[in-house]
Amino acid sequence: MVLNYIWIGFFLIAFVVAVLNLAFTGDTTTFRAIIDATFSASRMAVLDIALPLTGIMTLWLGFMNIGERAGAIRIMSRIVGPFFSRLFPEIPKDHPASGQLLMNFSANLLGLDNAATPMGLKAMKSLQELNPDKEVASNAQIMFLAINTSGLAIIPVSIIAQRAIMGASSPTDIVIPLLITTYISTLAAIIFVGIKQKINLLNTVFLGWIIGITAFLGGLTFYLSTLPEEQMQTVSSLISNGLLLLIICGFIAGGLYKRINVYDAFIDGAKDGFMTIIKIIPFLVGMLVAIAVFRASGAMDMLIGGIAWCVSAVGLPTDWVNALPTAIMRPMSGSGARALMIETMATYGADSFVGRLSALFQGSTDTTFYIIALYFGSVGIKRIRYSVQAGLMSDFVGVIAAIFVAYLFFF
């Protein structure tokens, strides 16, 4: 419903701006620009985005399926098990929900969206069985949703693919910056919900994990910040590419160790790539056209200009403002935010500061309203308590972190 109003609003505002422009200036070119934008955006959505994305998604989903069959998710579940058990004290030891939660988180970390969603729905169902009040969200369910809405992921496959399609010289150079920002947003969500639920976040296991991860990312960030700008981007890209190559080789090696047919596993996973693209084409066309119309009318420039004026008035830099539409759209619509990110890269360049920042905005937050509606709706939860506040707070922290990290790595 929210996306419906947003979509209609883009067209309505564009029409009003065009009419006002005609009334006050007599300029008729805005109407033609809007119509031209509808055709060019729809063509770009299919020919320039969807078709090239098909190959990349097919490739990566094939590799991801190898990793899944090789047991990568189960290995990650065993590693992070002690940490997550501290966050869900209401779940009895050895309850099936624990394994399902960890499988969902592990799938998200590896970018396995198609696997993460059904695992998450199954986990939510198990948590509902433990819920004493079936219409009110339990503490465990809220913590589960908060972590999901924080967008934590190690491999942002779709963002890398879209940057490659848009002509980025090094599509993976956002991996390390994105890992830092998404970690910060996830940590903010855990702390917020933990305080609300009076969970002991000072226990040895939790602090050990947090201190270890923070020290590693902090040390990496400090090291990169001491390098000259060009060398920093080169080293960051090298680490990102090396990490992805290590994961691919690890998946294949794991598949060989498990004696699975690696090639067949790749083909089975790759088949989902084509079907995934077919499903998103209508959403991509619809949102890209609406956004293109909104921009062609001049409404986008007016919005960004107003925000830039407010930011400048308080003495802050305004270089990041042009990427802000992606951040604003992200909690409401994944496809809408994706379209805005693509449109931003098309307008300013994939390797521009704004283009990279829009990618960080896309990866460091998630579709809070959609996730809450999907998971709680699947088990009939009517009172969601502070779930929205937790999700939006995490999104806000992710946006702020993305701005600072983008200035550190790319400005």
Side-chain angles (χ1 to χ4, degrees), residues 263-282:
Y263 181 72
D264 284 349
F266 176 86
I267 296 301
D268 289 341
K271 292 176 182 178
D272 292 333
F274 180 77
M275 297 307 300
T276 300
I277 297 303
I278 293 298
K279 291 177 182 177
I280 71 170
I281 284 178

Side-chain angles (χ1 to χ4, degrees), residues 34-115:
I34 290 175
I35 297 302
D36 289 344
T38 62
F39 291 108
S40 62
S42 59
R43 183 170 56 251
M44 180 180 71
V46 177
L47 298 181
D48 298 336
I49 305 298
L51 290 182
L53 188 61
T54 303
I56 298 174
M57 288 296 291
T58 298
L59 173 70
W60 273 101
L61 286 177
F63 282 129
M64 292 300 183
N65 193 51
I66 294 174
E68 184 179 359
R69 293 191 184 182
I73 293 178
R74 292 183 179 85
I75 292 174
M76 292 187 67
S77 295
R78 287 198 295 268
I79 293 173
V80 301
F83 173 68
F84 281 117
S85 66
R86 300 305 193 280
L87 299 180
F88 302 94
E90 297 177 347
I91 301 177
K93 186 178 180 180
D94 298 327
H95 191 277
S98 298
Q100 293 161 4
L101 287 172
L102 296 175
M103 291 285 282
N104 171 258
F105 293 141
S106 299
N108 278 322
L109 286 171
L110 293 175
L112 293 169
D113 293 338
N114 290 337

Side-chain angles (χ1 to χ4, degrees), residues 188-335:
I190 292 174
I191 293 175
F192 177 85
V193 177
I195 292 174
K196 280 278 191 179
Q197 298 180 1
K198 299 180 180 180
I199 295 175
N200 179 18
L201 298 179
L202 300 179
N203 65 77
T204 305
V205 174
F206 181 83
L207 286 179
W209 273 82
I210 295 302
I211 292 173
I213 297 173
T214 303
F216 172 75
L217 292 178
L220 179 62
T221 304
F222 175 77
Y223 166 69
L224 292 174
S225 67
T226 62
L227 302 176
E229 181 179 351
E230 292 186 2
Q231 187 178 358
M232 179 177 65
Q233 294 186 17
T234 300
V235 173
S236 175
S237 179
L238 177 63
I239 294 174
S240 302
N241 288 326
L243 176 62
L244 294 177
L245 182 60
L246 178 64
I247 290 173
I248 292 173
C249 293
F251 285 172
I252 295 176
L256 293 175
Y257 176 76
K258 290 287 187 178
R259 296 183 179 180
I260 66 172
N261 190 319
V262 177
Y263 181 72
D264 284 349
F266 176 86
I267 296 301
D268 289 341
K271 292 176 182 178
D272 292 333
F274 180 77
M275 297 307 300
T276 300
I277 297 303
I278 293 298
K279 291 177 182 177
I280 71 170
I281 284 178
F283 300 98
L284 199 58
V285 171
M287 288 308 302
L288 277 178
V289 168
I291 294 166
V293 166
F294 188 74
R295 183 180 287 278
S297 70
M300 180 73 81
D301 293 335
M302 294 170 60
L303 173 63
I304 297 301
I307 296 175
W309 183 87
C310 294
V311 172
S312 178
V314 296
L316 296 175
T318 60
D319 308 271
W320 54 273
V321 175
N322 287 317
L324 196 57
T326 302
I328 295 173
M329 177 67 73
R330 183 62 168 144
M332 297 178 284
S333 168
S335 58

Side-chain angles (χ1 to χ4, degrees), residues 154-161 163 168 170-181 233 236-237 240 341 345 350-352 355-360 363 405 409-410:
I154 294 176
I155 312 174
V157 176
S158 62
I159 296 177
I160 293 173
R163 280 180 48 76
S170 179
T172 59
D173 63 6
I174 49 88
V175 171
I176 297 301
L178 188 53
L179 179 60
I180 295 171
T181 57
Q233 294 186 17
S236 175
S237 179
S240 302
M341 178 189 69
M345 288 192 287
D351 286 331
S352 66
R356 285 172 165 139
L357 179 55
S358 66
L360 293 186
V405 170
F409 279 83
F410 304 123

